[in-house]
Amino acid sequence: GRQHNYLRISLTEKCNLRCQYCMPEEGVPLTPKSELLTAKEILTLARLFVKEGVEKIRLTGGEPLIRPDVVDIVGQLTKLEGLKTIAVTTNGINLARLLPRLKEAGLNAINISLDTLVPAKFEFIVRRKGFHKVIEGIHKATELGYHPVKVNCVVMRGFNEDELLGFVDFTKDLPLDVRFIEYMPFDGNKWNFKKMVSYKEMLDTIKQRWPDLEKLPCETSSTAKSYKVPHFQGQISFITSMSEHFCGSCNRLRITADGNLKVCLFGNSEVSLRDHLRSGASEEELVQIIGEAVGRKKKQHAGMFVVPEKKPAMTRENNVEVLLWEALTCQKERRKSFLNEAELRKASPVGQVSVDCQFKEASPGSEFCTRDLGSCTKVPRASDNLTHTDEEGRATMVDVGGKPDSRRSAVAGAVVRLGEKAFGMVRQNQMKKGDVLAVAQIAGIQGAKLTSQLIPLCHNIPLNHVEVSLSLDETRYAVVIRSSCQTWGRTGVEMEALTAASLAALTVYDMCKAVTHDIVIEEVKLLSKTGGQRGDFSRV
Ligand code: SAM
Ligand code: SF4
C-alpha cells in the first residue's frame, strides 16, 4: 500500500569531505566516468518517474554540489510537469556560492548536514576544514527565504551528544529544522551500537532543559518526529531510523550515481536502469522493470535488525553488542512463548509473569524493544501505584520534565581491603599496571559521567562537578574511596556518586589482582545527599 512518490538521485559518488561515519580517509573507490549517469540520462529517468507519480526529487551524493552541471540539472528538473519539490542534501561547503543560482533554477528545499557547532570538532569529524562555509551556507539559505532550512545532525555518543542543547538554541532566532539523526551502523554484520544515541535519550535530555517542548503534528510518510520550543523561530526533529524504523510508510526510491535503482537504503541495488537505458529499452519496458523492482521491496529493511544466529564472542570492545544480542534473542524467545496468550494468563496470574531475561524492562518503543507493536501480546497490568512502570507494567523512566530545577549533591563511599602485601605496593606505587590511586580516581569520574548508560532507568543529567578522592587506611590495609557529585537539575545525583565510588573500587581491584585475589570491596554506600523533594539525607 505504499505510494512511492519521492525519488532521491545521487549526482556523484565523490565528496569534498570525509565524514568519519560515511567515508574512509582515502575516499570511496570511484566508478569510471563513462559508467556514471549523464545529465541527459538523469533527466530521462526523472521524467519517467515523475510521469509515474513521483512528486519530489532530492539530489544527493556523495556531495551533489560538486557536480559542475548541478545548476543546469535543477533547471531542467524544474520544467517537469507534476514535480512539486526539488530538494538537495548538501554538506554546505559550496552552498553560499551556488545558492542564488540554484534558487533561480528552481531549487525549493535544502537539507544541510552539520554535526557539531564547534569548529575543531567539525574538522575532526569531516577530516577537512570548512566549518564557517557551512554556517555561511545556512545563513544564506535563510536569507534567500528557504523555510525551514533543514540541518541534519547525526548524533554520536562520545562525539556530539553533549551539543543537543546548543543545537536547540540554534533554532531560537533562525527558521531552522534541526534534525537529530540516530547514527546508523551501516555495516549490518559489524554491530556498532555503542555510538548510537536513541531518540528517547535525546528527547529526555532536551526535555530536562525545555519541559514545555511542544510535539508537532507529523505527516504519514514523514520520517521525522518534530518538536518546538515555544516562541523559538525554528523547530527540532528526530529521525529514528534505528530505534523506531519507518519502513511501513516509506515512500522513497533511490537511483545511484551509476544508475542503479535501490528500493531500500539497506538493500542491494535492484536493477541497473543505466544498462537498460543504454541498450535502448522503451519507456514502457523501463516502467515495467521499475514496477517489478518496487514490487519486490521488503516490508522492512534488513541488515540492521537481523540478529546473528550465533552469539558473538565477548571481547573487551564488543560487550554492548553481545548484550544486545542477548536482549534481542531473548525478546524473540519471549515473543514465541507469548504466542498463546490464554495459556500465559492461566499460568501467570496478574503481576506474577516471570521473564528470564536481563532486558525484561525494555519498554515498548525503546531501542532494546524488538516487539512488533501490532502483534505484541499484552503483559498483565502491574500496580498503578508503582512509579517506574508504564500502563502495561513494564519498567519505564520517570518523566522529570515537570519538576523544578534545584541544586543537588550526593556523596558516596566505598572501601577496598587489599591485604598487607598489595596495600604496601599501592602505597609505594609499585604496582606493575601503574599508579593505582590515580587510575582509579579517573575511572570514578568517568563512571559518574556514564551512569545513565549503565543504570537502565537513570536520567542523563548534566553534572556540574565530580570529585573522587582515595586515601589509604593502614589499620585495615584498605583504600578508602569518597566520591561527590553536584548538579543543578530535576533529579538527584546519588546514583552518579555511587557509580563513581563503585567504578573506582573495581579499578583498584583490577590494578591489584595480579598480586592477590584476596581483595574485598565493601561498604559501598551513600553517605549524604542534598536537594530534591524527599529532602536531605546524611548517614550518621
Ligand atoms: N554529502 C551530502 C551531505 O553530507 O549532506 C549528501 C550525502 S550524505 C550521505 C546524506 C546524509 O546522510 C547526511 O546528512 C549524512 O549526515 C547522513 N549520513 C551519512 N552516514 C550516516 C550514518 N552512518 N548514520 C546516519 N546518517 C548518516
Ligand atoms: Fe558522506 Fe556527505 Fe560527509 Fe561527504 S559530506 S563524507 S557524502 S556525509
Side-chain angles (χ1 to χ4, degrees):
R2 293 172 285 191
Q3 294 297 317
H4 292 86
N5 57 2
Y6 179 3
L7 176 67
R8 300 168 75 103
I9 304 178
S10 172
L11 291 188
T12 175
E13 297 163 333
K14 289 189 202 163
C15 188
N16 44 359
L17 300 183
R18 291 287 183 274
C19 302
Q20 306 231 13
Y21 52 78
C22 175
M23 275 200 193
E25 173 91 68
E26 65 282 6
V28 286
L30 295 178
T31 311
K33 193 160 180 251
S34 62
E35 292 174 23
L36 299 177
L37 290 182
T38 62
K40 192 161 170 266
E41 287 169 329
I42 290 173
L43 288 159
T44 305
L45 289 174
R47 189 172 301 113
L48 198 66
F49 277 85
V50 172
K51 214 171 137 201
E52 293 300 312
V54 162
E55 295 174 330
K56 175 172 177 179
I57 291 183
R58 175 174 299 282
L59 303 176
T60 176
E63 172 49 34
L65 301 194
I66 59 171
R67 185 158 167 151
D69 52 3
V70 61
V71 177
D72 193 37
I73 291 173
V74 172
Q76 297 294 325
L77 289 174
T78 314
K79 296 181 190 151
L80 298 181
E81 208 174 306
L83 186 61
K84 294 183 185 156
T85 310
I86 305 172
V88 73
T89 299
T90 171
N91 61 29
I93 297 286
N94 292 344
L95 189 63
R97 181 168 59 82
L98 287 177
L99 197 53
R101 284 163 59 211
L102 285 167
K103 182 160 193 243
E104 210 178 318
L107 185 77
N108 38 27
I110 306 180
N111 287 29
I112 303 162
S113 303
L114 180 66
D115 304 324
T116 173
L117 297 170
V118 181
K121 279 165 86 174
F122 176 90
E123 286 185 26
F124 167 78
I125 198 79
V126 309
R127 302 191 185 105
R128 297 283 187 277
K129 291 190 187 302
F131 175 78
H132 296 289
K133 284 189 178 167
V134 183
I135 297 291
E136 195 189 339
I138 292 174
H139 285 286
K140 180 62 102 187
T142 61
E143 279 160 28
L144 291 183
Y146 286 91
H147 194 297
V149 173
K150 295 186 179 174
V151 175
N152 288 357
C153 172
V154 179
V155 180
M156 289 157 281
R157 196 178 301 288
F159 175 68
N160 60 356
E161 91 265 40
D162 58 338
E163 291 193 57
L164 292 172
L165 296 178
F167 272 103
V168 176
D169 285 345
F170 202 23
T171 67
K172 187 167 179 231
D173 301 317
L174 289 170
L176 307 179
D177 179 2
V178 172
R179 292 144 44 95
F180 296 116
I181 303 177
E182 285 177 346
Y183 168 79
M184 293 186 278
F186 269 119
D187 178 356
N189 297 325
K190 199 169 154 243
W191 290 28
N192 193 356
F193 283 87
K194 275 179 272 185
K195 287 204 192 99
M196 194 202 116
V197 184
S198 77
Y199 145 62
K200 292 267 160 70
E201 189 179 334
M202 294 186 230
L203 189 60
D204 188 55
T205 305
I206 295 170
K207 275 195 168 166
Q208 288 201 34
R209 169 68 183 88
W210 298 108
D212 299 336
L213 198 69
E214 283 168 17
K215 175 116 174 69
L216 301 174
C218 66
E219 295 162 29
T220 333
S221 63
S222 169
T223 54
K225 297 174 179 48
S226 302
Y227 295 79
K228 184 176 171 64
V229 177
H231 314 303
F232 275 23
Q233 266 204 55
Q235 63 180 57
I236 57 165
S237 302
F238 299 92
I239 312 291
T240 61
S241 17
M242 287 301 296
S243 66
E244 293 175 22
H245 68 78
F246 26 77
C247 306
S249 58
C250 174
N251 61 349
R252 287 137 198 246
L253 298 171
R254 294 180 160 76
I255 299 179
T256 60
D258 57 353
N260 280 308
L261 175 66
K262 282 182 90 178
V263 295
C264 173
L265 178 60
F266 295 95
N268 296 324
S269 297
E270 292 288 336
V271 60
S272 170
L273 298 180
R274 177 203 63 205
D275 290 353
H276 285 285
L277 259 183
R278 292 186 185 176
S279 63
S282 68
E283 206 169 279
E284 290 73 35
E285 284 166 333
L286 283 170
V287 170
Q288 192 187 342
I289 291 161
I290 293 165
E292 282 166 6
V294 176
R296 287 192 295 268
K297 180 161 171 169
K298 301 274 191 306
K299 187 174 155 219
Q300 67 185 49
H301 52 67
M304 297 190 328
F305 296 103
V306 174
V307 186
E309 277 300 315
K310 272 178 63 191
K311 181 172 169 175
M314 176 82 94
T315 65
R316 262 172 194 266
E317 280 72 40
N318 80 340
N319 49 348
V320 177
E321 287 88 326
V322 175
L323 285 177
L324 267 155
W325 183 90
E326 283 172 352
L328 296 174
T329 311
C330 177
Q331 294 274 9
K332 266 201 318 194
E333 291 307 313
R334 198 176 146 192
R335 235 179 307 162
K336 265 192 240 157
S337 68
F338 276 8
L339 283 181
N340 188 336
E341 188 178 2
E343 264 181 33
L344 174 81
R345 287 195 183 284
K346 247 190 286 161
S348 315
V350 173
Q352 290 181 20
V353 176
S354 77
V355 181
D356 182 19
C357 168
Q358 48 183 310
F359 276 83
K360 64 187 171 193
E361 291 161 342
S363 55
S366 82
E367 64 274 32
F368 294 128
C369 176
T370 57
R371 249 166 279 132
D372 168 353
L373 291 179
S375 64
C376 174
T377 311
K378 281 203 167 23
V379 177
R381 281 182 74 93
S383 160
D384 288 341
N385 297 329
L386 301 178
T387 55
H388 282 56
T389 58
D390 64 13
E391 62 282 1
E392 292 195 307
R394 296 191 188 91
T396 181
M397 227 174 179
V398 169
D399 183 354
V400 294
K403 290 189 184 180
D405 278 341
S406 66
R407 187 179 179 281
R408 292 153 186 267
S409 67
V411 179
V415 173
V416 189
R417 286 180 183 262
L418 292 172
E420 189 174 356
K421 184 175 173 204
F423 180 84
M425 291 174 78
V426 170
R427 191 174 47 188
Q428 304 291 329
N429 198 5
Q430 286 172 344
M431 281 293 171
K432 278 205 177 131
K433 281 194 172 177
D435 187 333
V436 176
L437 302 182
V439 175
Q441 183 196 24
I442 302 291
I445 294 170
Q446 290 291 97
K449 292 193 287 183
L450 285 170
T451 303
S452 69
Q453 289 170 46
L454 298 170
I455 313 288
L457 302 186
C458 261
H459 293 85
N460 179 15
I461 50 178
L463 289 171
N464 298 343
H465 185 64
V466 180
E467 199 175 303
V468 177
S469 63
L470 295 96
S471 55
L472 297 175
D473 178 351
E474 186 126 30
T475 56
R476 293 189 282 175
Y477 298 126
V479 178
V480 178
I481 299 164
R482 192 174 175 283
S483 64
S484 76
C485 295
Q486 280 171 27
T487 188
W488 178 259
R490 300 190 170 93
T491 179
V493 282
E494 65 210 72
M495 289 311 300
E496 281 69 13
L498 282 163
T499 307
S502 307
L503 260 286
L506 285 170
T507 304
V508 172
Y509 183 103
D510 183 49
M511 303 282 289
C512 300
K513 68 183 190 295
V515 175
T516 172
H517 283 107
D518 188 9
I519 301 173
V520 179
I521 296 176
E522 59 189 22
E523 294 185 46
V524 177
K525 61 189 175 195
L526 182 70
L527 299 173
S528 66
K529 88 181 242 312
T530 63
Q533 280 171 350
R534 282 189 220 116
D536 297 351
F537 165 85
S538 183
R539 198 176 283 277
V540 277

